[in-house]
Amino acid sequence: MASVEKTRSPRRSEGRRLHHPRVGSLVPYLYILPFFVLFVGFGLFPMIATAYVSLTDWNLLDVGPGRWTGAANYERLLHDPYMWNAARNTISLFVLSTVPQLCLALVIAQLLDWAIRARTLLSMGILLPYFTSVAAVTIVFSVLFSRDFGLVNHVLHLVGIGPVDWPAGRLTSHLTVAGMVNWRWTGFNAIIYFAAIQTIPRDLYEAAAIDGAGRWRQFQHVTVPMLRLAIVFTAVLSTIGNLQLFTEPLLFSATQGTTTGGSGRQFQTIALYLYEEGFRSFEFGYASAIAWTLVVLTAVAVLLSYLIVRRIRADE
């Protein structure tokens, strides 16, 4: 019996150590530790390293780190016409894609809510463009908006409008790229709005109907005000996505034989200019400065959205 007690006592003491209050308080932190390890390794460290590189003249073709130049890269940004051109293009694409996209998504979500039959099937169909490959979307839109054999120009020809060289013009190329973004993300935002509409009390619609409001007046005076937070949320996502718009203009530019956002940089975005400076000109320091400029712009957009949400909640 004594030997049995001797063999059991270490296990009991070990169990007591595991159930010690101090050890038990560390268990929740151990569960979330992998996230912080990955965040530090793949998020925080690259950001700090990029901030340092942005203060140097680091060229990827040189051996060793670049020479410390301080804020020279940021001063260069202020006087870089290509950077200002990319900023104007980014803002233009943001307006042409975000505003129509969210408005159309609201209408689609309301129509889904009114649909009685095949609602699930319609929701799945609307969400399908989100799962489509960006490369496939770009190829299809390049064919549709081709100058000589495009379907869009063929339809315009039927109404007496001559062929339009869509990639060559600034406005026409922006409309094409914005069309790709809208086609891919409108359904995604519509599903978010549709889910938010389901949380609106039906009593509000019944009261509006009793007061004589039709469906579209209910949409205007009940649905839209109740979706303010959802609209702000999707606007934040769209703003962040459009500030970092890269894949669509890059692939659309590649179909024209360039990677600079058109032959005249007519639809080059900030992210595309960053790619050009970093991985074609190998000016890694300057590209890092562009990247941190994007970070600041994104942070400002998120801060403004946060202030809007606070104001909405205060009004409620």
Side-chain angles (χ1 to χ4, degrees), residues 268-283:
Q268 184 180 60
T269 61
I270 297 177
L272 192 54
Y273 186 48
L274 186 159
Y275 167 78
E276 179 188 355
E277 289 295 321
F279 299 101
R280 294 189 62 84
S281 301
F282 304 109
E283 295 290 340

Side-chain angles (χ1 to χ4, degrees), residues 28 41 103 143 153 208 240 311:
C103 293
V143 174
N153 276 343
I240 294 174
R311 182 63 180 271

Side-chain angles (χ1 to χ4, degrees), residues 4-87:
V4 173
E5 291 295 331
K6 288 180 180 179
T7 57
R8 290 180 178 176
S9 57
R11 296 180 181 178
R12 291 177 180 175
S13 61
E14 182 180 356
R16 294 192 188 97
R17 287 197 299 271
L18 290 175
H19 290 86
H20 194 276
R22 292 183 178 178
V23 177
S25 63
L26 295 176
V27 173
Y29 297 99
L30 293 177
Y31 281 116
I32 62 176
L33 180 62
F35 164 78
F36 286 102
V37 171
L38 293 174
F39 172 73
V40 170
F42 297 96
L44 184 61
F45 173 74
M47 291 181 65
I48 296 175
T50 305
Y52 168 76
V53 173
S54 70
L55 302 175
T56 67
D57 63 348
W58 198 334
N59 190 295
L60 288 180
L61 299 181
D62 295 338
V63 179
R67 179 176 55 88
W68 178 269
T69 57
N73 287 324
Y74 295 96
E75 293 177 2
R76 177 184 168 187
L77 274 176
L78 295 176
H79 302 90
D80 187 352
Y82 291 150
M83 179 62 185
W84 286 107
N85 172 70

Side-chain angles (χ1 to χ4, degrees), residues 217-237:
R217 290 185 65 85
Q218 293 176 25
F219 170 75
Q220 181 181 357
H221 296 287
V222 177
T223 303
V224 174
M226 295 298 292
L227 292 182
R228 285 181 296 181
L229 293 179
I231 293 172
V232 171
F233 172 72
T234 53
V236 171
L237 291 183

Side-chain angles (χ1 to χ4, degrees), residues 26-213:
L26 295 176
V27 173
Y29 297 99
L30 293 177
Y31 281 116
I32 62 176
L33 180 62
F35 164 78
F36 286 102
V37 171
L38 293 174
F39 172 73
V40 170
F42 297 96
L44 184 61
F45 173 74
M47 291 181 65
I48 296 175
T50 305
Y52 168 76
V53 173
S54 70
L55 302 175
T56 67
D57 63 348
W58 198 334
N59 190 295
L60 288 180
L61 299 181
D62 295 338
V63 179
R67 179 176 55 88
W68 178 269
T69 57
N73 287 324
Y74 295 96
E75 293 177 2
R76 177 184 168 187
L77 274 176
L78 295 176
H79 302 90
D80 187 352
Y82 291 150
M83 179 62 185
W84 286 107
N85 172 70
R88 287 192 296 269
N89 291 337
T90 302
I91 294 173
S92 174
L93 288 170
F94 164 74
V95 174
L96 290 174
S97 58
T98 301
V99 177
Q101 178 187 142
L102 298 185
C103 293
L104 184 59
L106 268 174
V107 174
I108 292 175
Q110 185 63 79
L111 292 176
L112 282 176
D113 185 60
W114 289 341
I116 299 176
R117 299 179 180 178
R119 180 180 296 176
T120 303
L121 184 61
L122 291 174
S123 301
M124 293 176 59
I126 290 172
L127 197 57
L128 279 178
Y130 172 72
F131 299 103
T132 307
S133 169
V134 182
V137 173
T138 306
I139 293 173
V140 171
F141 269 77
S142 299
V143 174
L144 289 175
F145 288 88
S146 173
R147 185 189 64 180
D148 298 321
F149 307 104
L151 179 61
V152 176
N153 276 343
H154 177 70
V155 174
L156 293 177
H157 176 71
L158 296 178
V159 295
I161 300 177
V164 179
D165 193 355
W166 295 91
R170 183 177 298 272
L171 178 59
T172 54
S173 62
H174 287 194
L175 290 173
T176 306
V177 175
M180 300 180 201
V181 178
N182 291 334
W183 187 84
R184 189 162 184 262
W185 289 98
T186 299
F188 175 83
N189 291 317
I191 294 300
I192 294 178
Y193 292 152
F194 176 66
I197 289 175
Q198 305 311 304
T199 64
I200 300 176
R202 296 292 141 175
D203 297 342
L204 298 178
Y205 291 104
E206 294 175 1
I210 293 174
D211 291 338

